[in-house]
Structure formats: structure tokens, C-alpha cells
Amino acid sequence: MTGLLEAILVDVAILGRATVFNLYFAFASIPVGFGLAVLVMLGRNSNNRLVANLCGGYIYAFRGSPFFIQLFMLYSLALALNLSVWKPLGIDWLVLNPLFLGPLILALNTTAYTAEILHGALRAVPKGEVEAAKAFGMGRSERFRRIIWPHVIRLAWPAYTNEVVFLFHATALVYFTLPVIDGQRDLMSQANDLFQRDYNSVLHFSVAAAYFLAVSLAVFFVFGLVYRHLMRHMPGARPLKFSLTRA
Amino acid sequence: MTETFEFWVSYLTNGRHLNWYASFQYTVIAALLGGAFALLFGIGGAALRNSSLPPLKLLGTIYINMVRGVPDVLFFIFFPLAFEQLVELVIAQSACPAGGGAGVWPPCPEANWFLGTGEYLLLASVSLGIVYGAFTANVISGALNSVPRGQLEAARAFGMTNWQVLSRVHIRQMWVYALPGLSNCWLLLIKATSLLSLLQITDIVRGANLLGAPNFSRTAGVIHGDWRWGYYLALLLFYILVTYLSEKAFAAITRWASRGMPMAERV
């Protein structure tokens, strides 16, 4: 029995180090993805047909194809451009590093999903409030900053919480595609490696699953607190409820 | 001009490419079979979730919620591995001399269960079914609760038995409410079929990797450089096309399923 406990603790320590890589991928890609998503949302809603269609096409392409293929496609594209572009510029060490390329591809992916969520929220903003703001003589940017955006973020927050959890889960795929350098392994890659050593699939994958679960619960908790703050002025606001499907 | 055209035609129809086109069948089979399993597990999970017996209800709730916290790829890799090991453990009970070496798998060579593409494909479909069955169970359980109570009460007032109410009214009307969610589950599932190569299946992803890799031959020199991104781009477009067609198909099914329903506009 103590042998089992010891084995679990060893796994917890080894996979704890691996979790840092998953967390890094998520933390590096989420702010970038969110910023880009706001721009894509505005573009999708633009009066310029060309811009609106381009943004819509971007969202459709990234939401309609598997992240696994996007990883392969963008990684091999980066490899193919290595000799002609990155090497002459002297940035091949940066571009081909999984710690740069991984978050970049994750950010491109989450941009599309987040933009779709924000776009849906934008269309649900009460028209009356926007008209009232116009009647008050607010300009375009002031209207967006003070009336539209607070509505958008409140409406989008539950779905965005889900998106962040799904993005964290998507980080599990990064090292199936990108090369492992200097033993920098994430949870799935490390669990696979441990499995190859002693073939104890139940132990290693359970501990990895527990780490994913713990981080997911932490995200739900923190985002729930933020949601309560966002909804603090709404009487009888419902607590955050999570749906199971990615937007 | 015609020469380049002829080159591309012969390049794209050589034996290795024909094998690659044939491997699309694995993706299609995994999607259809996985979808069928997902629907089966989904209905089972929803039945457990809505059961009146507390232990069954708990089991259903745990099943539905497990996919919230753990990525699908972990289940996708773990289930086939664990299943294979379980079978090998059972074989080892009778086939192996007692006291097989620790840290060795399988315990003895006789207990090795060789899995071919067919077996892996079936295991992959089952694990897709288990993961997306949890999503489906959530959708179906929600849809069952969305059917207006009055409809069920009216059915009971007609003297229908519980089973008749369930099969003739409850489940029939449930589909309209479930379809948007089922469409979402299906789109997630077809995207997950891109993971087949992780289970030793030479599927379209692995095929693209092999075909696109820089190609040298001793007699002809460099045939082509690194073309992998082109092949992956083709796969990307393939998946976008499948998504587009699925959306169209689900829209048609929804229109058909909600004909004559007063709430059709809300779906």
C-alpha cells in the first residue's frame, strides 16, 4: 500500500512540473487571443463588406477545422519557410521554438472561437440602450466604451469561461506535433513517457487527468468570481452555469 | 503548360496517393461509428441522469461531467490502452506461468494481443463514443426536460402507459429540442477524428505527413522539398467542407423534424 502511495507521489511531482508547460501555453495565448478576438469581432461587425467577410471567413475556417490539423499545418509552414525567411532574418531559433510557436497557434485558434462568442454577445446588446446613448450625444467610441462593451463582456463571460477551459484542454495536443526540446514535456507527453517506462496506464493517466481537472476547476472558480463582480449591480443575477460544448 | 498539367495528374494519381485517398475511409468510418456509439452512450447516460434511483443518477451525473474537466485526447488515448491491457491481463491469467516479470508488458509473450488497424479503429470509435456520448447525454437530458409538461399530461390523460408516453410523445418531441445540441456534438466529433493517427492508424494525417516529407531518390535526386504544409492545408479544407455540409444537413433535418410544431421558430 505504501508502495502505491509512493508511486502516486512520484507521479504528482513529475507531472506537476509538466503542468507548468500547459499553464504557460494557456497564459501566453489567452491574452493575445482575447485582444485579437476583439479586433476580429469589430471587423466582423464592420460596414466594410470586404473586412466583414474576411473576419467571418477567418472565424469559420478556424472553428470548422480541427486544432490538431491547424497545429500540423502551421508548424510545417513555419518549417518550410525556415531556409528562405527565418534563417536570413536570424530568428529561426525563436520561430521554431515550441514555446513560441505553440502559444502562437493556440492564440490564432482561440481568437476565432472568442470572436464568435463576442460577436454573438454584440448582437444581443439591447438596442434601446444604444439609442439612448446616441440621444445623449455620445460619440461612436464613447458609446462603445461605456455602453456596448460592458454589455458584451457580461453577456459573453459564461461562454468565454468555457472557451478558456477548452483552450487549456487543447494545450494537451501541442507536444503531439511540436518537437520536445530539453525534456520540456507537457502533461500528455510526460504521461505517455512514464507509461512507456512501466506500462502502468491507469496510474499515470489518472494523475494527469487529476491535474487537468484541478486546473479546470480553478478556472471555473476564478472566472465565477469575476462574473459575480461583473453582475454585481444586477438584482437576482444567476450564478455562472457551464455548458459542455465549445461555442 | 500541358507538361506541368500531366506531371500533376500523374503525381496525384501515383500509388502512394491512391493509398492516401483510400485512408479517408478510416476517418469516415470512425466518424459514423463513433457518432452511433455517442448517440447510444448519450441515450444511456441521459436515462441514468434522469433516473429516480440515487446511485444510478449519481453515475449518470459523473459520466456527463467527466468531460468538463479532462481533455478528450486523454480519454482517447487512455481507453484503448487500458482496454488492451485488460484483455492481455485476462489472457495472462491462463497463458502465463505464475510470477511474470514486473515492469514488463505484456507479462509473457503468449499474452500479447496484437491489434491491427481494424481493432484500433473499433477501439477509437468506442472511445470517441464514450467521450462525445457524455456531451450527447447532456444534450438529450436537457431536451427531455424541455418537452412541455402539458404534452405528457395530455398523453397520460389519454390513458397511455408510461412506456407509450415515453416512446410516442416524450422521445418523439425531444428530438426538436436536442437537434441544435446534437449538431454541436457531431461537429466536435468529426474534428476529433483527426486524432486517429495517435492510435497507430495510418489515417489521412499520417498519410499527409509521409507524402509531404522531403522526397529524395538516388536516381532522380530531389523530387520535391518539404510539401507537408500543402497536404495539411488540403486536410484543413477537407474538414471545413465536412463541417459546412454537416451544418447544411442538420439545418435540413431540423426543418424536417420541426414541421408542424408551433415552437419551430424558436429552434
Side-chain angles (χ1 to χ4, degrees):
Chain A
M1 205 60 215
T2 48
L4 178 64
L5 191 67
E6 221 168 84
I8 291 177
L9 287 178
V10 168
D11 260 35
V12 167
I14 295 176
L15 290 171
R17 181 180 174 274
T19 312
V20 175
F21 286 94
N22 291 81
L23 287 173
Y24 163 76
F25 285 134
F27 274 113
S29 55
I30 285 168
V32 179
F34 189 82
L36 286 174
V38 174
L39 294 180
V40 174
M41 169 200 74
L42 291 174
R44 175 93 178 76
N45 216 48
S46 150
N47 286 328
N48 186 332
R49 286 281 295 277
L50 182 68
V51 173
N53 285 339
L54 276 177
C55 290
Y58 176 86
I59 293 174
Y60 197 84
F62 273 85
R63 289 178 74 238
S65 57
F67 175 63
F68 197 50
I69 307 274
Q70 292 163 18
L71 261 176
F72 271 119
M73 174 11 212
L74 293 168
Y75 175 55
S76 52
L77 193 61
L79 275 181
L81 294 175
N82 188 26
L83 285 178
S84 55
V85 183
W86 315 132
K87 273 246 158 73
L89 287 171
I91 52 168
D92 55 320
W93 59 272
L94 174 71
V95 174
L96 293 181
N97 192 325
L99 295 182
F100 172 80
L101 200 57
L104 180 72
I105 302 170
L106 280 165
L108 290 176
N109 180 267
T110 190
T111 295
Y113 282 93
T114 310
E116 178 71 14
I117 293 169
L118 293 177
H119 178 65
L122 187 66
R123 285 168 34 146
V125 172
K127 294 278 169 290
E129 297 205 13
V130 182
E131 275 164 27
K134 269 185 202 160
F136 259 64
M138 286 189 189
R140 261 177 86 96
S141 71
E142 195 183 7
R143 235 173 19 236
F144 183 78
R145 222 174 44 244
R146 293 179 60 177
I147 309 296
I148 298 175
W149 178 249
H151 268 299
V152 166
I153 197 72
R154 266 197 296 274
L155 290 166
W157 198 255
Y160 186 62
T161 308
N162 261 311
E163 168 53 23
V164 169
V165 172
F166 269 101
L167 179 86
F168 181 69
H169 290 177
T171 62
L173 285 172
V174 171
Y175 276 121
F176 282 110
T177 307
L178 302 185
V180 174
I181 302 174
D182 301 333
Q184 295 170 351
R185 292 180 175 281
D186 78 324
L187 271 171
M188 275 314 288
S189 162
Q190 185 70 66
N192 255 330
D193 192 53
L194 290 172
F195 168 75
Q196 301 294 341
R197 281 188 219 164
D198 61 3
Y199 302 104
N200 193 342
S201 57
V202 176
L203 173 69
H204 303 313
F205 286 107
S206 301
V207 176
Y211 269 113
F212 276 114
L213 189 65
V215 176
S216 306
L217 289 177
V219 171
F220 282 141
F221 178 73
V222 172
F223 276 66
L225 288 183
V226 175
Y227 191 59
R228 224 169 60 193
H229 178 75
L230 287 173
M231 303 293 277
R232 65 196 178 283
H233 61 292
M234 310 282 270
R238 291 200 177 165
L240 200 49
K241 267 184 87 178
F242 305 106
S243 80
L244 281 169
T245 42
R246 199 173 181 185
Chain B
M1 193 60 215
T2 50
E3 236 169 72
T4 35
F5 179 72
E6 273 169 24
F7 164 76
W8 281 109
V9 168
S10 64
Y11 175 75
L12 290 174
T13 53
N14 67 18
R16 294 174 68 202
H17 276 83
L18 292 180
N19 281 340
W20 185 51
Y21 303 144
S23 69
F24 276 77
Q25 63 177 313
Y26 299 134
T27 307
V28 174
I29 292 172
L32 294 178
L33 210 56
F37 278 123
L39 202 56
L40 211 66
F41 288 129
I43 292 171
L48 286 178
R49 171 68 156 310
N50 289 359
S51 151
S52 48
L53 285 171
L56 292 182
K57 198 180 170 71
L58 183 71
L59 195 69
T61 313
I62 290 174
Y63 173 55
I64 289 176
N65 284 295
M66 75 178 190
V67 290
R68 268 175 222 253
V70 181
D72 55 353
V73 60
L74 197 147
F75 287 108
F76 192 73
I77 288 186
F78 172 73
F79 279 123
L81 271 182
F83 186 76
E84 185 186 350
Q85 288 195 319
L86 189 70
V87 170
E88 287 176 339
L89 199 66
V90 170
I91 300 176
Q93 295 296 328
S94 55
C96 289
V104 185
W105 199 271
C108 66
E110 290 81 39
N112 188 21
W113 181 34
F114 177 75
L115 290 169
T117 299
E119 286 90 346
Y120 269 123
L121 199 58
L122 188 61
L123 282 178
S125 307
V126 173
S127 32
L128 281 176
I130 292 172
V131 174
Y132 290 96
F135 289 89
T136 311
N138 187 49
V139 169
I140 291 181
S141 137
L144 282 174
N145 291 330
S146 300
V147 175
R149 293 279 146 246
Q151 294 278 344
L152 305 180
E153 279 161 25
R156 264 182 231 116
F158 268 111
M160 288 190 188
T161 62
N162 277 340
W163 175 247
Q164 282 175 328
V165 173
L166 189 70
S167 63
R168 292 190 188 174
V169 181
H170 206 163
I171 290 181
R172 295 258 174 111
Q173 297 200 11
M174 176 270 290
W175 290 112
V176 185
Y177 300 94
L179 273 171
L182 289 181
S183 155
N184 248 329
C185 293
W186 170 250
L187 294 179
L188 287 173
L189 188 138
I190 50 177
K191 282 185 263 178
T193 56
S194 64
L195 301 174
L196 288 181
S197 58
L198 301 181
L199 290 180
Q200 321 302 327
I201 300 172
T202 310
D203 74 330
I204 50 177
V205 179
R206 182 170 291 191
N209 192 23
L210 294 172
L211 285 170
N215 197 347
F216 300 96
S217 102
R218 218 166 261 172
T219 47
V222 181
I223 296 168
H224 63 74
D226 190 352
W227 282 359
R228 273 175 295 182
W229 68 271
Y231 284 92
Y232 288 128
L233 186 64
L235 289 187
L236 210 70
L237 295 175
F238 166 71
Y239 272 103
I240 293 172
L241 182 70
V242 173
T243 302
Y244 175 77
L245 294 177
S246 298
E247 280 177 354
K248 284 272 172 283
F250 264 96
I253 296 173
T254 307
R255 263 200 311 279
W256 176 79
S258 52
R259 72 205 185 288
M261 302 269 288
M263 41 70 73
E265 300 82 9
R266 286 198 289 125
V267 174

